[in-house]
Amino acid sequence: MAKLYFRYGAMWSGKTAQLLMVAFNYQEKGQRAVIIKPALDIKWENRVSTRIWLEKDVDVLAGEEDDIFQIIQSFFPLLNCVLVDEAQFLSARQIDQLQQVVIQLNLPVIAYGLRCDGNQESRSGSCRLLEIADKIEELKTMCECWNKATMNCRFDREGSLILGWEKILIDGMSDVVYRSLCPRCWMSYKEKLSDE
Ligand SMILES: [Zn+2]
């Protein structure tokens, strides 16, 4: 029976690289995985890209109002798996549509995304996935102190933590540095801010 998977991790935990590996494995077996990403995520335009040189065009750029179940149904039955990048940017309704894909089309759906954004709050897509996914798996990455990083942080060029993110974060497009930190380091950077 197909399942809805949520594979979450902080930034730099290799989510997109793993998505591309899964797509490649399907293709190698002569099967097809469709790749979806939210249109809200404008970095890399219509591609998914990783910092380890891998990238690929997406099959579907899902707008906020798009019905993902209907879109996937139009590919069916030439399809064996659905892969979603940056799933935190989908709406709760679209996550429900992914569940509909799993149940009614019996296709596995693997959604990759951040559990929390830079304000350490869950966005609609992650929230809903945490509520309804059949399997929730963590992709781990390390903080600079070698503990597990769970917080997504932005720093300015002087090395000060930036609090209060705007809604959509596009890395590499503004004058900030992105780092994943453990809660302990995150708190100590926050304390440094209030000392200043
Ligand atoms: Zn740390």
Side-chain angles (χ1 to χ4, degrees):
M1 214 167 58
K3 286 190 171 67
L4 173 59
Y5 296 83
F6 181 32
R7 293 187 179 155
Y8 72 88
M11 295 175 77
W12 317 130
S13 59
K15 295 184 292 298
T16 306
Q18 202 189 96
L19 178 150
L20 289 172
M21 273 301 293
V22 174
F24 181 81
N25 288 340
Y26 272 93
Q27 192 178 320
E28 218 182 13
K29 294 188 187 83
Q31 301 194 333
R32 171 128 197 251
V34 71
I35 301 176
I36 304 180
K37 88 166 193 178
L40 263 180
D41 177 61
I42 55 170
K43 80 181 159 181
W44 314 118
E45 296 169 344
N46 63 339
R47 284 172 297 142
V48 287
S49 190
T50 69
R51 70 200 150 114
I52 55 162
W53 313 300
L54 299 167
E55 61 176 34
K56 193 177 189 313
D57 286 345
V58 301
D59 302 292
V60 177
L61 210 50
E64 281 174 276
E65 299 304 321
D66 287 344
D67 184 327
I68 294 183
F69 177 75
Q70 275 182 7
I71 294 170
I72 295 302
Q73 211 175 16
S74 70
F75 282 87
F76 201 70
L78 307 162
L79 206 57
N80 303 94
C81 179
V82 177
L83 301 172
V84 186
D85 199 30
E86 306 287 355
Q88 71 275 5
F89 290 132
L90 293 179
S91 68
R93 202 161 45 88
Q94 287 173 320
I95 303 298
D96 291 345
Q97 289 156 3
L98 289 175
Q99 187 186 44
Q100 203 184 343
V101 167
V102 171
I103 294 169
Q104 296 183 2
L105 305 180
N106 197 33
L107 280 176
V109 174
I110 309 175
Y112 293 86
L114 296 174
R115 183 173 62 170
C116 290
D117 68 9
N119 297 322
Q120 319 311 336
E121 292 166 354
S122 280
R123 295 181 54 90
S124 54
S126 327
C127 253
R128 192 65 186 140
L129 278 162
L130 289 168
E131 287 165 350
I132 68 167
D134 299 302
K135 269 186 173 286
I136 297 174
E137 297 163 339
E138 183 176 28
L139 304 180
K140 297 190 177 81
T141 190
M142 272 181 282
C143 176
E144 53 206 29
C145 73
W146 302 100
N147 283 312
K148 188 175 81 175
T150 53
M151 321 298 273
N152 301 300
C153 307
R154 291 203 303 182
F155 286 83
D156 63 22
R157 295 285 173 200
E158 280 73 53
S160 295
L161 181 68
I162 302 170
L163 293 174
W165 286 23
E166 65 263 28
K167 231 173 146 197
I168 305 288
L169 139 86
I170 313 295
D171 59 289
M173 289 183 69
S174 47
D175 198 30
V176 289
V177 178
Y178 297 88
R179 281 148 71 181
S180 301
L181 298 177
C182 72
R184 196 174 290 269
C185 290
W186 175 68
M187 204 164 281
S188 86
Y189 278 109
K190 257 176 57 168
E191 276 162 10
K192 267 186 223 160
L193 279 181
S194 48
D195 290 346
E196 279 164 11

